[in-house]
Amino acid sequence: MKERFQRFIHQFGLPRLIILSFFLALLVSAYFLKLPLNSLVSDTLVRTGMNGVLVLAMVPGIHSGIGLNFGLPLGIVCGLLGGLVSIEMNLIGINGFIIAILVSLPIAAVIGYLYGLMLNRVKGSEMLVATYVGFSAVSLMNIAWLLLPFHSPEIKWPIGDGLRTTITLTGKYDKLLNNFLDFKIFGVMVPTGLLLFFLAMCLLMFLFLRTRTGVMMSAAGINPKFAAATGIQVDRARIIGTMLSTILGAVGIIVYSQSYGFFQLYQAPMMMGFAAVAAILIGGASSHKATLMHVIIGTFLFQGLLTVSLPVANKIVTEGNLSEIARIIVQNGIILYSLTKVSNGGD
Amino acid sequence: MSEPYVLSMQDIQKDYFGNKVLKGVTINARAGEVHALLGENGAGKSTLMNILFGMPVIHSTGGYGGKIMIDGKEVQIKSPKDAMEHGIGMVHQEFMLIPGFTVTENIKLNREILKSNVVSALFGKSMKTLDRKAMNADARQAIDTLGVDINERQGVSGMPVGYMQFIEIAREIDKKNVRLLVFDEPTAVLTESEADTLLAAMRRICEAGIAILFITHRLEEVMAIARDITILRDGEQVAALEAAHTNVMEIAAMMVGREIEAMHSENRDVTKTPEILMEIKDFKVQMPGEQVKGVSLEVHKGEILGLGGLAGQGKIGIANGIMGLYPSTGTVLFKGEALPSSQPEVILKKGIAFVSEDRRGVGLLLDSSIEDNIVISSMHIHKRYIKKYGPVTQKNTGEIRDHANRMIKDLDIRCTGPEQPSRRLSGGNQQKVCIARALTLNPEILFVSEPTRGIDIGAKKLVLDTLIKLNRDHGMTIVMTSSELAELRSICDRIAIVTEGKIEGVLAPNDSDANFGLMMSGDYGKVIEKGEAIR
């Protein structure tokens, strides 16, 4: 019995067990504080689905050897561009969602390619460089958002030049995936379409990693010297990984935004890379090893913690508006913890 | 011999975790004489020196047996500092000089001559200034002893390698109490004329009454300068000779000679004109530490060709260069076609496979399963073991599993199953996985580098048997690079010895020990020139 228990802990990983216990403890205290458990669980499911694809974007980066893609904002701004184009074209429903993705794909592919070329020149310090590439991309796009020639009144400020900071999707494709085939069980709203889309993307990634290209890309990431001796072009594999990561970042932000109900421009994408990195690390990945299970478990735990801890904290300490402070402490605390796990994984 | 020895190491024994690396070695060095210490890589020379210098690695692994006497008195050397206090100095192979300092400053480093001044009178010793004049004079004297023309005030950076070597030596002889100097392959990095100057300098050092322990593999130099010679082989002292009573060939034979296990059942008929499978012409490879400086060689169809030689001489670089892993120049013709340089993919596609000497670094994906390791090259190069759905491909798990199981059976890989990560296997079985991957490519010619490095004796034999079987049963041409001459002689049809980045010569496995020894030390050509030849 003891042995089996130890093996279970070893397989699941002690850190994940601790975080899971903390999550469950929060749920229990939420129950005693008379918080609406069913809506907390619904929120957790929604947030898992909406962030999942962004976290999945870490996988090709890790497999191809560039490590954790802190430069995710680069992909995110590509996705935002695609989204804006779909609104400019005044498309609604599924058409708008699909056009948003289709427009952002080639942009993200080109940007990802160039980004990959750059990462190939800074081998060994990709993660640091990527962080600042992400920051720079956001700042550069701040200028672009002011200058881009969009005309739709939903996108532009009513007075003056430039685009709005948040652009509503109401009447476009707000909650398109969330509401697809959703159902209620024990008072918990299950966003079926959103979760299905996330799982479908995971399945595609699973299949890709089993293609010849995928296998070679992973080999290049695990052991570049081995790959070179096998005739694999390591730099090319890294570019493929970077492109895929950037593309998934673009798709991810569109999925995120349709669930959130708004496109957020300017500073909003700045820290999104960190949240995605933290989620996959909590799931048990490291900078050189990541599986789809890490993505799913990590996203659920990270978002679950965020969702449940805030109302609980607010309930316990009622004075003032604690929610924003608690959010920052919890989110950055988790990121800090998971960054200590970069090199050797979550276990 | 009654005269007292400066250094006498008596019956020195050392084992690392039960593995005996020194089996009773005795060395007696006389004042004012050069004592040469010879042996192949791994013969135990460096272990002996580590003991002499009291290196921590010796004491942390249980110390040594035997005794060390200096001037007839037994001493305990527990740390390099002890060794220095007993007057033992070492001239390092890698230079330990500070580039920004002048020659004098390097020579007097940490032994600076100080003089008092006003400030030091007030604030104490640490404020004393350097007495540059006295330091320069000391440095000058040390350099003059060596008989080289170096300005003691010049900066060290940018000096030719040979000069640095002399500065290193000058630093040692400037130490006033030095009694014994160890020269560890000092001529390896020097040009011929520099080496001659060095030998002259060594003679002068001896005239000052200092004993020299000379470690080298250049036999000519030994004959020119040494009085006594000690030869080590596999941790055993094979001989203690006087240079006057021996010759290069005898020494060479003693260095190499060992019983050869006859694995070779039928030596092939090599007299009939062989078909040339690969022709290498003036081939140069930029591989750090294993530079190839112009090799010309033919590989015959269906043979096992051995590439031997000492470490660092370039034998490893040849296969790595042909496979395109390091930049190379020169021509390699494979079945009459020229191979491109630095394009491993093209070369693998032509039916040339390679088992790397760096098994864990280059040879394996340690955390991947055995089956993935076996098929991955073939998947990439021949697009085999995949299923196609239009433009989309998928791993063919069934076919991979079948093939892996067959390989595991054929090569007798001991594992829990094809899904076991290759990290968990023993060295010999990991090697077999590497060979299995190369075989999956169905190569016409297989390059194998150091196939038995770091694996135990039983596994060694299995790996070698596998190679012989591939050659005999499947007619595969094999080029095997190995540091272990005995191993090459037991399975190869021809053995090319690589010395200083070039082919010194090609021998048959049953050639005399002396010839092998001479070739490995690079003295073969010189001996032939002198007409002392052999056979």
Side-chain angles (χ1 to χ4, degrees):
Chain A
M1 180 63 203
K2 197 180 160 205
E3 214 171 86
R4 267 178 60 195
F5 182 65
Q6 275 173 344
R7 195 180 313 147
F8 169 74
I9 288 182
H10 185 74
Q11 274 175 0
F12 195 68
L14 191 60
R16 268 169 301 300
L17 216 57
I18 293 170
I19 291 167
L20 187 65
S21 332
F22 183 52
F23 179 54
L24 293 176
L26 280 174
L27 280 180
V28 171
S29 45
Y31 174 76
F32 284 113
L33 293 168
K34 302 202 168 48
L35 290 167
L37 263 192
N38 50 358
S39 80
L40 283 180
V41 174
S42 311
D43 279 357
T44 303
L45 287 179
V46 169
R47 296 187 61 134
T48 303
M50 69 196 259
N51 284 285
V53 182
L54 288 173
V55 180
L56 184 66
M58 294 294 136
V59 173
I62 294 170
H63 272 259
S64 67
I66 64 163
L68 295 155
N69 184 8
F70 282 94
L72 195 62
L74 211 55
I76 290 177
V77 292
C78 297
L80 289 175
L81 266 180
L84 294 186
V85 169
S86 78
I87 295 177
E88 177 81 7
M89 291 162 76
N90 208 12
L91 297 167
I92 42 176
I94 187 79
N95 289 340
F97 182 71
I98 288 173
I99 290 298
I101 289 178
L102 286 184
V103 172
S104 65
L105 281 186
I107 305 175
V110 171
I111 297 289
Y113 177 77
L114 297 174
Y115 178 39
L117 284 183
M118 199 196 78
L119 286 183
N120 279 343
R121 286 166 199 234
V122 295
K123 278 181 193 159
S125 43
E126 290 95 342
M127 288 199 271
L128 188 67
V129 171
T131 307
Y132 285 91
V133 166
F135 289 168
S136 319
V138 169
S139 302
L140 187 72
M141 287 312 285
N142 280 346
I143 302 173
W145 300 136
L146 289 172
L147 301 176
L148 286 172
F150 284 106
H151 298 294
S152 163
E154 285 155 292
I155 301 179
K156 273 173 74 81
W157 286 118
I159 323 165
D161 289 329
L163 313 184
R164 293 166 191 257
T165 46
T166 52
I167 293 153
T168 179
L169 287 172
T170 317
K172 301 288 183 195
Y173 38 88
D174 179 25
K175 310 246 183 325
L176 177 83
L177 293 177
N178 298 42
N179 295 341
F180 179 72
L181 289 181
D182 59 343
F183 58 90
K184 213 164 188 168
I185 183 166
F186 304 124
V188 174
M189 204 61 188
V190 179
T192 318
L194 187 65
L195 294 179
L196 277 181
F197 187 84
F198 171 43
L199 292 178
M201 296 303 277
C202 286
L203 179 68
L204 281 180
M205 180 55 65
F206 173 76
L207 292 176
F208 169 73
L209 290 176
R210 286 168 57 85
T211 61
R212 180 168 166 266
T213 317
V215 172
M216 298 314 143
M217 189 186 86
S218 298
I222 298 168
N223 186 344
K225 280 200 258 168
F226 173 94
T230 312
I232 298 169
Q233 289 164 7
V234 177
D235 283 0
R236 191 170 152 263
R238 287 163 55 99
I239 288 177
I240 293 175
T242 315
M243 282 172 75
L244 278 177
S245 184
T246 309
I247 289 172
L248 281 173
V251 176
I253 195 65
I254 295 171
V255 174
Y256 179 93
S257 300
Q258 64 81 30
S259 176
Y260 189 61
F262 300 95
F263 278 122
Q264 296 172 289
L265 307 185
Y266 300 98
Q267 295 297 93
M270 193 80 129
M271 289 303 172
M272 282 185 167
F274 284 94
V277 167
I280 197 164
L281 289 176
I282 280 189
S286 69
S287 58
H288 50 265
K289 188 166 190 269
T291 65
L292 297 171
M293 227 38 219
H294 293 153
V295 172
I296 295 169
I297 295 176
T299 316
F300 180 76
L301 285 180
F302 182 75
Q303 297 299 337
L305 272 186
L306 276 189
T307 316
V308 183
S309 61
L310 300 190
V312 170
N314 272 339
K315 197 86 177 182
I316 295 172
V317 188
T318 45
E319 302 92 56
N321 185 359
L322 203 70
S323 101
E324 186 57 17
I325 299 167
R327 188 188 69 78
I328 292 172
I329 293 176
V330 171
Q331 175 161 353
N332 287 314
I334 299 176
I335 292 175
L336 184 63
Y337 164 76
S338 52
L339 285 182
T340 63
K341 300 287 171 195
V342 166
S343 56
N344 49 6
D347 40 35
Chain B
M1 276 169 265
S2 56
E3 57 187 301
Y5 298 114
V6 173
L7 170 78
S8 169
M9 298 177 85
Q10 291 172 0
D11 194 27
I12 302 291
Q13 307 199 7
K14 170 72 195 163
D15 60 304
Y16 284 117
F17 312 106
N19 182 13
K20 271 204 174 303
V21 291
L22 284 179
K23 305 162 188 166
V25 176
T26 299
I27 287 184
N28 294 313
R30 278 181 267 244
E33 300 284 354
V34 175
H35 189 115
L37 184 59
L38 302 176
E40 281 185 276
N41 304 112
K45 290 175 296 182
S46 18
T47 309
L48 195 61
M49 289 306 109
N50 284 342
I51 290 174
L52 180 58
F53 282 91
M55 289 307 205
V57 61
I58 300 296
H59 297 281
S60 63
T61 52
Y64 59 91
K67 50 184 179 174
I68 301 178
M69 321 242 293
I70 288 181
D71 287 335
K73 271 176 284 179
E74 184 170 357
V75 292
Q76 292 292 330
I77 300 177
K78 293 221 172 68
S79 70
K81 194 163 162 276
D82 284 355
M84 257 182 255
E85 277 164 13
H86 287 299
I88 304 170
M90 172 87 162
V91 178
H92 297 277
Q93 238 172 328
E94 297 93 29
F95 307 120
M96 302 197 174
L97 298 174
I98 301 175
F101 280 19
T102 65
V103 173
T104 300
E105 283 164 341
N106 268 297
I107 291 178
K108 294 303 252 182
L109 191 66
N110 211 18
R111 296 180 294 111
E112 290 87 355
I113 304 168
L114 302 175
K115 63 180 176 193
S116 306
N117 59 21
V118 186
V119 186
S120 75
L122 287 174
F123 296 100
K125 245 175 34 186
S126 62
M127 284 293 144
K128 282 191 178 178
T129 40
L130 300 183
D131 185 351
R132 293 201 174 263
K133 224 169 158 185
M135 282 168 63
N136 280 336
D138 268 14
R140 186 73 252 161
Q141 197 198 341
I143 295 169
D144 285 344
T145 313
L146 296 177
V148 283
D149 184 24
I150 301 175
N151 182 353
E152 73 274 14
R153 282 162 219 218
Q154 210 185 324
V156 165
S157 60
M159 275 194 175
V161 185
Y163 279 26
M164 296 199 193
Q165 180 84 68
F166 285 113
I167 296 166
E168 188 92 16
I169 299 167
R171 182 165 68 200
E172 293 305 321
I173 62 173
D174 183 55
K175 292 175 185 167
K176 293 302 168 223
N177 71 339
V178 70
R179 316 287 317 278
L180 172 87
L181 269 183
V182 178
F183 283 70
D184 189 1
E185 305 222 6
T187 52
V189 290
L190 301 185
T191 63
E192 211 150 296
S193 64
E194 282 172 333
D196 288 344
T197 321
L198 179 73
L199 295 186
M202 286 168 76
R203 281 199 199 94
R204 267 191 223 107
I205 295 170
C206 287
E207 279 162 20
I210 296 171
I212 290 181
L213 207 51
F214 185 30
I215 302 175
T216 185
H217 61 258
R218 294 196 186 174
L219 304 182
E220 289 277 300
E221 291 171 359
V222 171
M223 295 309 288
I225 192 167
R227 171 163 169 192
D228 300 301
I229 299 171
T230 301
I231 302 174
L232 300 184
R233 192 173 69 210
D234 295 337
E236 264 171 277
Q237 182 166 4
V238 210
L241 311 160
E242 281 189 42
H245 301 147
T246 182
N247 59 45
V248 175
M249 269 155 16
E250 192 186 356
I251 302 176
M254 284 195 203
M255 267 171 69
V256 173
R258 86 180 47 142
E259 272 154 52
I260 296 162
E261 209 183 321
M263 277 180 158
H264 228 54
S265 41
E266 5 85 71
N267 238 325
R268 218 128 359 122
D269 181 16
V270 273
T271 48
K272 72 165 190 243
T273 332
E275 191 184 332
I276 292 169
L277 188 62
M278 181 181 272
E279 198 177 354
I280 303 161
K281 280 186 224 154
D282 194 27
F283 193 57
K284 295 178 183 148
V285 184
Q286 297 289 324
M287 178 174 179
E290 287 282 350
Q291 291 245 339
V292 182
K293 301 166 187 165
V295 158
S296 298
L297 189 65
E298 285 170 358
V299 183
H300 301 162
K301 192 172 174 145
E303 73 172 343
I304 303 183
L305 175 66
L307 293 175
L310 295 170
Q313 301 287 337
K315 64 178 185 306
I316 301 271
I318 297 177
N320 278 293
I322 292 175
M323 294 313 292
L325 302 184
Y326 288 90
S328 62
T329 57
T331 26
V332 180
L333 297 176
F334 178 61
K335 296 197 283 188
E337 266 178 87
L339 294 179
S341 107
S342 300
Q343 291 180 33
E345 194 169 356
V346 180
I347 291 158
L348 286 163
K349 274 190 181 144
K350 292 205 185 273
I352 303 170
F354 177 49
V355 176
S356 171
E357 69 285 350
D358 184 2
R359 192 165 56 228
R360 297 172 72 84
V362 178
L364 289 171
L365 293 172
L366 287 170
D367 288 317
S368 302
S369 63
I370 295 174
E371 55 183 6
D372 283 354
N373 267 293
I374 290 179
V375 298
I376 190 160
S377 298
S378 180
M379 248 168 113
H380 180 65
I381 300 297
H382 299 314
K383 305 194 166 86
R384 281 168 61 206
Y385 305 104
I386 48 179
K387 280 186 270 194
K388 280 217 166 112
Y389 303 95
V392 182
T393 52
Q394 283 289 291
K395 253 159 99 166
N396 189 341
T397 9
E399 202 184 333
I400 292 174
R401 180 63 50 89
D402 287 349
H403 178 75
N405 277 327
R406 201 162 51 241
M407 276 295 176
I408 288 171
K409 194 160 149 269
D410 284 358
L411 298 185
D412 190 24
I413 301 171
R414 306 283 163 81
C415 58
T416 57
E419 282 176 275
Q420 192 180 13
S422 55
R423 183 189 291 283
R424 302 259 167 78
L425 298 176
S426 69
N429 285 312
Q430 285 182 340
Q431 191 68 52
K432 286 187 204 158
V433 173
C434 293
I435 293 175
R437 181 176 59 249
L439 295 184
T440 308
L441 288 167
N442 287 328
E444 281 186 61
I445 177 166
L446 177 65
F447 286 88
V448 187
S449 287
E450 303 283 8
T452 60
R453 178 187 281 177
I455 64 184
D456 60 73
I457 291 178
K460 265 182 195 178
K461 189 165 179 334
L462 286 174
V463 169
L464 295 179
D465 283 343
T466 308
L467 293 177
I468 292 182
K469 196 170 135 221
L470 289 172
N471 178 259
R472 302 286 188 272
D473 300 354
H474 304 278
M476 193 178 289
T477 310
I478 296 176
V479 179
M480 168 164 145
T481 311
S482 175
S483 298
E484 295 200 26
L485 194 55
E487 180 179 299
L488 291 174
R489 290 173 82 174
S490 70
I491 77 164
C492 294
D493 299 310
R494 297 188 304 148
I495 299 165
I497 302 292
V498 184
T499 306
E500 296 186 356
K502 295 192 166 130
I503 301 281
E504 182 77 12
V506 181
L507 295 170
N510 49 10
D511 256 313
S512 68
D513 289 349
N515 282 350
F516 277 105
L518 286 175
M519 282 200 176
M520 289 177 51
S521 69
D523 293 306
Y524 188 77
K526 294 172 202 161
V527 173
I528 299 274
E529 253 170 52
K530 284 189 194 162
E532 290 177 26
I534 348 182
R535 240 168 249 268

